[in-house]
Amino acid sequence: MNKASNYWAVFALAGLIAVLSVRADTARNPILYADVPDIAVIRLGDTYYMSSTTMHLSPGLPIMKSRDLVNWQLVSYAYDTLADNDALTLQNGKSAYGAGSWASSLRYHDGTFYVTTFSSTSGRTHIYRTKDIEKGPWTENSFRPSLHDHSLFFDDDGRVFMLYGGGNLRLVELNKDLSGLKPDGFNQVVITNASRVAGPNIGLNAEGSQLFKVNGKYYLFNITWPRAGCARSSSIARTRSLVPTRGASGCRTRVWHRAG
């Protein structure tokens, strides 16, 4: 996501996240007085894990944990250095201020933790994985193109997808080893003009996809921003089939519905 950032992130993610313990039943927002944007959250057992955006700062892609969704502790970073180019190493008059890595996706699948991000500075989609989310080590692979604000998703049938984009949201199938886009895999816009729930005058197209499956239904969360009149708006869409099905005519049918 394109947003202003400042060096408070250094202090926020390195120190301020270790805040004084607060009783969950008496907590008040904001629970973190820090710059922790674009969060992705999973739960494993009784522990929640959260990733966030660090943009041009390194180390990057912080991982936090909590037992109550109120008190959070910084436990890891997915990478020390995003990539090696002039913008990220501040050479030849270039910089990555406000760029670097943006929104992330956090998953646990078959004993492995995955946290993924994308970068206009590297032009790639980055995938980090580890068996131990708190101690590492993390391994990385990346591929082109850079999939904006994607959500990594492992479906029950073994297929792997990313849903990404702004405004028009596209679902793409990945190779099972997450090495890149599957050459003959599904690749199609599944939601057209997802921003329309916020009206006709849009300042920020719907983005920030976070995709989940609960009780047989898929839920997609996004954020969009009207130009005037109200603050950023959240939207939820749902479907029973992630990949559009073919009707009697042989044409694919739209299956996503607005849920909120």
Side-chain angles (χ1 to χ4, degrees):
M1 293 181 179
N2 193 356
K3 61 186 74 61
S5 181
N6 54 53
Y7 287 102
W8 276 109
V10 176
F11 303 100
L13 296 175
L16 293 182
I17 285 176
V19 295
L20 294 175
S21 179
V22 177
R23 284 180 53 189
D25 59 353
T26 61
R28 296 291 184 270
N29 285 319
I31 57 171
L32 293 174
Y33 287 86
D35 187 4
V36 187
D38 302 337
I39 62 171
V41 181
I42 60 172
R43 187 187 71 182
L44 186 62
D46 62 355
T47 304
Y48 299 90
Y49 292 100
M50 174 168 68
S51 62
S52 181
T53 293
T54 44
M55 304 185 80
H56 53 282
L57 301 175
S58 291
L61 230 175
I63 306 296
M64 293 148 273
K65 78 170 183 177
S66 173
R67 294 292 176 88
D68 57 12
L69 292 176
V70 174
N71 298 287
W72 291 90
Q73 176 187 2
L74 178 67
V75 295
S76 182
Y77 286 96
Y79 67 81
D80 291 323
T81 303
L82 177 65
D84 185 8
N85 59 38
D86 285 351
L88 289 166
T89 56
L90 303 179
Q91 298 186 81
N92 297 318
K94 296 184 178 181
S95 90
Y97 184 77
S101 66
W102 290 356
S104 62
S105 180
L106 181 61
R107 300 293 185 196
Y108 179 76
H109 178 70
D110 285 349
T112 299
F113 292 93
Y114 298 84
V115 61
T116 65
T117 187
F118 72 103
S119 174
S120 61
T121 312
S122 68
R124 306 182 73 86
T125 297
H126 297 263
I127 298 174
Y128 302 89
R129 67 190 84 194
T130 184
K131 294 291 185 180
D132 189 333
I133 194 171
E134 298 186 26
K135 298 179 181 179
W138 292 87
T139 59
E140 186 255 3
N141 70 279
S142 64
F143 60 82
R144 295 185 185 275
S146 173
L147 302 182
H148 179 86
D149 278 17
H150 64 257
S151 185
L152 175 65
F153 190 80
F154 296 91
D155 211 350
D156 297 336
D157 60 2
R159 300 170 76 182
V160 189
F161 299 91
M162 280 186 173
L163 197 151
Y164 75 99
N168 294 330
L169 304 180
R170 179 177 289 269
L171 182 69
V172 294
E173 189 170 358
L174 305 184
N175 297 323
K176 287 190 175 182
D177 62 0
L178 280 63
S179 58
L181 302 186
K182 186 176 180 180
D184 58 346
F186 186 83
N187 188 332
Q188 181 180 313
V189 171
V190 291
I191 301 181
T192 303
N193 189 18
S195 316
R196 66 186 180 276
V197 296
N201 193 15
I202 300 299
L204 177 72
N205 283 322
E207 58 177 16
S209 293
Q210 294 288 337
L211 179 63
F212 303 94
K213 187 175 185 180
V214 181
N215 295 330
K217 293 182 180 179
Y218 302 86
Y219 293 86
L220 176 64
F221 294 76
N222 292 101
I223 187 171
T224 187
W225 194 354
R227 287 190 183 277
C230 56
R232 293 192 179 191
S233 302
S234 298
S235 65
I236 307 171
R238 70 184 175 202
T239 182
R240 291 187 179 276
S241 177
L242 184 60
V243 175
T245 56
R246 294 189 181 275
S249 65
C251 298
R252 294 191 183 274
T253 58
R254 290 184 59 189
V255 293
W256 286 95
H257 304 280
R258 181 182 174 186

